[in-house]
């Protein structure tokens, strides 16, 4: 036990076994909702929900335990909300790309991720894109997720006259969603630990009591088979042979890139890990994410990302990698509760999507709205994602306009050469998509 305490530097960090275990449990409970939300989102793309459930748990365990043992940070990693929506709704449903091919795109992005991380290029690429556009991407994804959540809840429906309108708010399923949203909002506002998870549990219970959700025949069973999704990304990797799919891979890279980097920096700052403005062992922490994304692609789930819910574990004192190891192990045990998937309907997960969207939208305050040349492309990214129902299209609009605005305001020299290249790539991408 002493060797473990020494490895995780308990004395230096001012922590102990009990605190770290409790912190790991807290983080797990705070983000356990992804086990049920991710299968719902990817299930919309035609993927087997049971296999996605298992892939989500295993990929999360691999990445989070690696984070704890190697990088020794109390930061958990799991398939990210936002990029899974891009996978399902933009790529598979919107572009009509088979989910097997889309998963191959995730694998290609993951391999590039590994190489970029190994050769320490990720930091260079992160610095290449202006900070305002980075936070705009995060905020735009938040709006996109919220839009999907409202649609899944039945609160927003298609309308031939106005494109979208309010749904039938008096239907039982819509009322259940509204109840879940209000409950979850209150839990978040009153700073209740694991608010999103508790909100889902309460909503599911009310749904069962009201007869809107069928009670499962049993609660515990062996983990669902990975067979429907395992290795499909490898089998279809040769499908990544068109410009459209190359841009999909690029978008997976960009979105995961900045989501993880931003979250890690924010969490490290919160916990006091930053030294001279830099995050110690950043390369190892980023490698955990890259390994998780690669494993997830092979198993059958969308790209992984650092989870802001890790802050819940930090709030109760988690400071070492043992927190992450504990969280990862708990995700393995959670695989025994797959029967609960039938209880977690779209009405139950909708509040989670909407809440996460609200939390991601806070990035709007970090955009320099006083500089119109920067505010305009950032705004197009933010508003473009939900209105085009595509994360990549939203990014494309902003990335194309940004260098134009910089040239117009005589700041062309401040734009990284690769930004001009990205603008050209996205311009061609939009032309192809539009035709």
């Amino acid at each position: 036990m002493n060797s473990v305490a020494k490895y995780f530097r308990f004395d230096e960090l001012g922590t102990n076994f009990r605190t770290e275990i409790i912190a790991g449990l807290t983080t797990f409970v705070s983000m356990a909702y992804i086990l049920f939300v991710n299968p719902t989102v990817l299930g919309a793309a035609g993927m087997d929900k049971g296999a996605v459930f298992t892939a989500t748990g295993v990929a999360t365990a691999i990445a989070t335990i690696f984070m704890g043992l190697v990088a020794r940070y109390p930061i958990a990693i799991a398939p990210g909300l936002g990029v899974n929506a891009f996978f399902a709704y933009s790529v598979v449903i919107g572009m009509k790309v088979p989910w097997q091919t889309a998963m191959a795109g995730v694998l290609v992005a993951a391999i590039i991720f590994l190489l970029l991380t190994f050769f320490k290029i990720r930091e260079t690429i992160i610095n290449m894109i202006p900070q305002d556009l980075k936070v705009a991407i995060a905020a735009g994804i938040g709006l996109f997720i919220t839009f999907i959540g409202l649609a899944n809840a039945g609160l927003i429906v298609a309308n031939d006259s106005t494109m979208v309108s309010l749904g039938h708010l008096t239907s039982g399923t819509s009322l259940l969603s509204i109840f879940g949203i209000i409950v979850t909002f209150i839990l978040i506002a009153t700073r209740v630990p694991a608010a999103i998870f508790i909100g889902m549990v309460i909503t599911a219970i009310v749904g069962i009591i009201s007869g809107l959700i069928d009670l499962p025949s049993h609660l515990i069973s062996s983990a669902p088979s990975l067979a429907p999704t395992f290795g499909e990304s490898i089998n279809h990797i040769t499908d990544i042979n068109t410009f459209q799919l190359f841009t999909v891979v690029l978008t997976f890279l960009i979105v995961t890139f900045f989501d993880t980097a931003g979250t890690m920096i924010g969490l490290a700052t919160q916990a006091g890990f930053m030294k001279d403005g830099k995050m110690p062992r950043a390369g190892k922490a980023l490698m955990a994410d890259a390994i998780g994304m690669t494993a997830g692609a092979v198993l059958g789930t969308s790209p992984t990302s650092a989870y802001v819910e890790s802050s819940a574990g930090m709030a109760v004192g988690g400071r070492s990698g043992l927190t992450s190891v504990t969280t990862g192990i708990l995700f393995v045990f959670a695989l025994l509760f797959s029967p609960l998937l039938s209880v977690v309907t779209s009405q139950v997960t909708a509040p989670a999507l909407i809440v996460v969207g609200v939390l991601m939208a806070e990035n709007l305050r970090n955009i320099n709205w006083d500089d119109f040349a920067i505010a305009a492309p950032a705004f197009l990214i933010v508003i473009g994602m939900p209105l085009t129902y595509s994360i990549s299209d939203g990014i494309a609009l902003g990335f194309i306009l940004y260098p134009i605005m910089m040239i117009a305001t005589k700041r062309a020299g401040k734009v990284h050469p690769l930004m001009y290249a990205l603008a050209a790539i996205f311009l061609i991408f939009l032309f192809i998509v539009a035709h």
Side-chain angles (χ1 to χ4, degrees):
M1 296 293 280
N2 288 333
S3 59
V4 174
K6 184 177 180 180
Y7 178 79
F8 288 114
R9 299 180 298 144
F10 281 2
D11 291 339
E12 179 184 339
L13 297 171
T15 187
N16 54 60
F17 280 101
R18 179 179 180 277
T19 299
E20 294 298 303
I21 298 301
I22 292 176
L25 175 62
T26 302
T27 297
F28 167 75
V29 174
S30 297
M31 60 182 286
Y33 66 86
I34 192 60
L35 281 169
F36 304 101
V37 175
N38 203 41
T40 299
V41 175
L42 298 188
M47 296 183 68
D48 183 272
K49 290 185 178 181
V52 173
F53 173 85
T54 302
T56 299
V58 175
T60 299
I62 291 172
T64 303
I65 292 174
F66 183 95
M67 174 69 80
L69 291 177
V70 179
R72 291 182 287 181
Y73 278 120
I75 299 175
I77 293 175
L81 278 175
V83 70
N84 61 355
F86 168 71
F87 178 99
Y89 297 99
S90 294
V91 179
V92 178
I93 297 176
M95 299 180 185
K96 294 180 171 52
V97 174
W99 69 260
Q100 295 89 340
T101 301
M103 195 58 68
V106 175
L107 180 59
V108 172
I111 293 171
I112 297 173
F113 229 36
L114 276 172
L115 294 174
L116 292 177
T117 304
F118 182 78
F119 290 107
K120 300 182 179 180
I121 301 175
R122 284 178 77 175
E123 291 84 351
T124 302
I125 297 179
I126 289 172
N127 293 332
M128 175 194 76
I129 297 179
Q131 180 64 20
D132 293 88
L133 299 192
K134 293 176 189 175
V135 297
I137 290 172
I141 291 173
L143 265 62
F144 185 52
I145 291 175
T146 299
F147 187 81
I148 292 172
L150 291 171
N152 287 349
L155 303 184
I156 289 180
V157 296
N159 186 298
D160 292 336
S161 300
T162 60
M163 287 187 274
V164 294
S165 63
L166 278 175
H168 302 291
L169 303 186
T170 56
S171 69
T173 53
S174 293
L175 289 174
L176 178 61
S177 296
I178 293 171
F179 170 80
I181 293 168
I182 293 174
V183 168
T184 308
F185 275 16
I186 292 175
L187 292 172
I188 291 284
T190 53
R191 301 183 183 279
V192 174
I196 294 178
F197 182 78
I198 294 174
M200 288 177 61
V201 171
I202 294 175
T203 305
I205 291 174
V206 171
I208 292 171
I209 294 174
S210 62
L212 294 171
I213 298 176
D214 294 329
L215 190 67
S217 57
H218 53 287
L219 297 177
I220 299 177
S221 72
S222 58
S225 172
L226 284 167
T229 59
F230 185 81
E232 289 297 322
S233 58
I234 299 174
N235 297 335
H236 291 265
I237 201 165
T238 54
D239 294 348
I240 309 301
N241 54 16
T242 66
F243 181 78
Q244 182 189 50
L245 289 175
F246 287 144
T247 57
V248 168
V249 171
L250 178 63
T251 303
F252 279 137
L253 270 173
I254 291 174
V255 174
T256 309
F257 222 97
F258 303 120
D259 185 38
T260 293
T263 301
M264 283 188 182
I265 291 172
L267 292 171
T269 301
Q270 172 191 334
F273 294 138
M274 301 293 283
K275 294 181 179 179
D276 299 323
K278 296 182 178 180
M279 183 178 176
R281 308 184 304 283
K284 293 179 179 179
L286 291 170
M287 183 58 75
D289 179 41
I291 288 175
M293 184 173 175
T294 305
V298 174
L299 294 169
T301 186
S302 50
T304 56
S305 175
Y307 261 58
V308 71
E309 284 82 359
S310 301
S311 60
M314 293 179 182
V316 297
R319 287 296 180 272
S320 82
L322 185 58
T323 292
S324 294
V325 173
T326 302
T327 301
I329 292 173
L330 288 172
F331 265 96
V332 174
F333 283 112
L335 294 178
L336 298 174
F337 296 92
S338 61
L340 292 177
L341 273 172
S342 64
V343 174
V344 187
T345 63
S346 59
Q347 289 76 36
V348 174
T349 58
L353 294 174
I354 295 169
V355 167
V356 172
V358 173
L359 297 176
M360 293 181 73
E362 70 175 357
N363 288 281
L364 288 169
R365 66 184 176 188
N366 297 318
I367 296 174
N368 183 7
W369 296 107
D370 295 328
D371 188 338
F372 189 81
I374 292 176
F379 179 75
L380 280 186
I381 290 175
V382 173
I383 199 67
M385 290 184 189
L387 293 188
T388 63
Y389 213 70
S390 168
I391 292 174
S392 59
D393 287 353
I395 292 176
L397 293 175
F399 276 41
I400 291 170
L401 181 62
Y402 178 76
I404 294 174
M405 298 301 290
M406 290 297 102
I407 293 172
T409 54
K410 300 179 180 180
R411 286 179 278 179
K414 294 184 178 181
V415 181
H416 195 287
L418 287 177
M419 281 300 294
Y420 290 108
L422 281 176
I425 289 172
F426 276 122
L427 187 62
I428 297 172
F429 167 63
L430 288 184
F431 180 80
I432 291 175
V433 171
H435 291 78

